[in-house]
Structure formats: structure tokens, C-alpha cells
Amino acid sequence: MKRMMFVLPALILAGLFACKPAMMRKYAIKDPQIETVESVRHDLDLYSPAYPSYLCVFRDSAGLVDWCKNKNLPGRSQFYNSAGYRIITQDSTFCSGVETDFAGNLKINQSCRIDSSTTFGRLKKDLMPVGEKVDLDPSKYAFTCVIFWAKFMGKFNESSFCIAASALKSQPAQSGKVNVLFVDMDILDFWNASGKLIRTETKTR
């Protein structure tokens, strides 16, 4: 097995802010630490006690790095239809306001543009459910809303959690047709057991 040489903090932070310290201070973004499932569960609980029940983590660092390569970063969200295809909610750059409005106006049998090349199945293979209510079968729902977040992203997570709240208040949610998942993107301690831990400059807490 080849050793991974990626440095996760540089990969994510450069993608988000291109080395803008002022923005990092504004959003209370910190240097990533090696976390445990319990430590990320604890922080997710601070946003809402209901959210940890829907928590997923990446199985290993290879899956996380692969997901980040396509600018799938913490503080983002994605929607999938019942067939598992990603729904296109905007035409160009990510805007949490657009996503929040979309999430709050979901309707059963709603017609949406889709990206058939991006499927929930691709994400699912890299996820490990750790919440007791996690459901990785999009066919049971009209919409699956995936929230990507990380402890070290601080206040930058808040816009995505607003999207989740809007989705859970939408019309389909009242009939159990909206599935929400919270996917953590921190570096996790158990990855090292498989020899797949990303090389970083961070230290275990």
C-alpha cells in the first residue's frame, strides 16, 4: 500500500480561503486536530441534540482525500433524489443562501435538474454510520440532504446547519420524506489502525 503524502489542513484550508488569516480568525477556524468519534459527536450535539443520531464519518483517510479533491469541503451541502443522483441547486459557485432557500422549499414530486455523474453511492462506499438513525438508502426518501462539517471549521459550519434546519422544516420532512446526514470531515484517530492515516502536522489532543 502506497503511503499518502497529502496534508489535509493545507488541502482544505487552501481550498476555502487561499491563505486568508483574517477570514480564518473571523470564522474561528483552527488547526485540525486528530479527533475521536466521541469528540466529533460531542461538538455536533452542541448545535442540536438531535443531530448526532444522523452522524457519519469517513471510513479512512483515502476516502476523505478522494472526496476533497473535487472541492467537496466542510461547510458545504449536497442534495440527492430518491434515485441517488445529485440535485443541482445552483448554476455556479456555492452559496449557502441558495441552498437554504432550496432546502426550505422542497416539495414531493418536485422536478429538479440532476447531475447523473455524481451519485450518492459513490459517497456511501466511503462512509461509516455512527449515529443510530443513519439511513444510507436514498430510495426511501424524496430527498437526502448531506451536510459536510468539521470541528476545526468553527463558525463556518453554521451556514450548513441552517440548510439542515430548513430541510427538516420543509413540506416533505413532515411526511418523513427528507433524510438528513451529517458527515464529519475531521481527521479521526482510528484511521491509523489500518495504516491509512494522513500525514499531518497536528498532534493528538
Side-chain angles (χ1 to χ4, degrees):
M1 182 184 299
K2 293 182 179 179
R3 268 187 158 181
M4 291 189 173
M5 302 302 292
F6 296 100
V7 179
L8 185 60
L11 179 67
I12 293 178
L13 299 182
L16 285 169
F17 297 119
C19 298
K20 295 182 179 178
M23 290 294 288
M24 293 176 67
R25 287 194 299 271
K26 177 181 178 180
Y27 289 99
I29 296 173
K30 301 177 181 179
D31 183 38
Q33 305 291 317
I34 296 176
E35 304 288 352
T36 66
V37 169
E38 286 307 314
S39 70
V40 297
R41 190 195 304 274
H42 174 270
D43 265 42
L44 187 57
D45 181 78
L46 298 177
Y47 290 97
S48 170
Y51 289 172
S53 295
Y54 302 92
L55 175 64
C56 294
V57 298
F58 280 89
R59 294 183 182 278
D60 54 44
S61 60
L64 175 57
V65 170
D66 184 59
W67 198 244
C68 288
K69 284 180 182 178
N70 294 317
K71 298 183 179 179
N72 296 308
L73 304 171
R76 302 288 178 94
S77 63
Q78 292 183 350
F79 287 83
Y80 295 86
N81 64 13
S82 59
Y85 295 125
R86 183 178 176 181
I87 296 172
I88 300 172
T89 57
Q90 72 277 327
D91 293 321
S92 55
T93 57
F94 177 84
C95 174
S96 60
V98 171
E99 299 278 277
T100 303
D101 289 344
F102 178 84
N105 290 286
L106 297 176
K107 295 178 175 59
I108 299 293
N109 298 322
Q110 178 177 338
S111 178
C112 300
R113 293 187 303 127
I114 63 169
D115 175 6
S116 59
S117 66
T118 304
T119 66
F120 183 78
R122 182 191 166 202
L123 172 62
K124 175 182 176 179
K125 68 179 178 62
D126 291 321
L127 294 184
M128 183 177 81
V130 294
E132 61 272 20
K133 295 183 179 179
V134 171
D135 192 339
L136 299 180
D137 182 1
S139 68
K140 298 178 183 178
Y141 307 91
F143 303 96
T144 292
C145 173
V146 183
I147 302 299
F148 296 95
W149 73 288
K151 277 188 64 172
F152 67 87
M153 292 304 294
K155 295 178 181 178
F156 199 76
N157 291 306
E158 293 176 0
S159 60
S160 286
F161 289 126
C162 286
I163 295 169
S166 290
L168 290 170
K169 292 177 182 177
S170 67
Q171 178 200 39
Q174 309 312 312
S175 57
K177 293 298 183 180
V178 172
N179 184 28
V180 176
L181 302 172
F182 296 89
V183 176
D184 177 70
M185 299 182 75
D186 287 290
I187 303 168
L188 297 175
D189 62 339
F190 72 84
W191 293 346
N192 195 39
S194 63
K196 296 182 179 180
L197 184 65
I198 298 174
R199 182 178 297 178
T200 72
E201 299 302 320
T202 60
K203 297 180 180 179
T204 305
R205 287 181 178 179

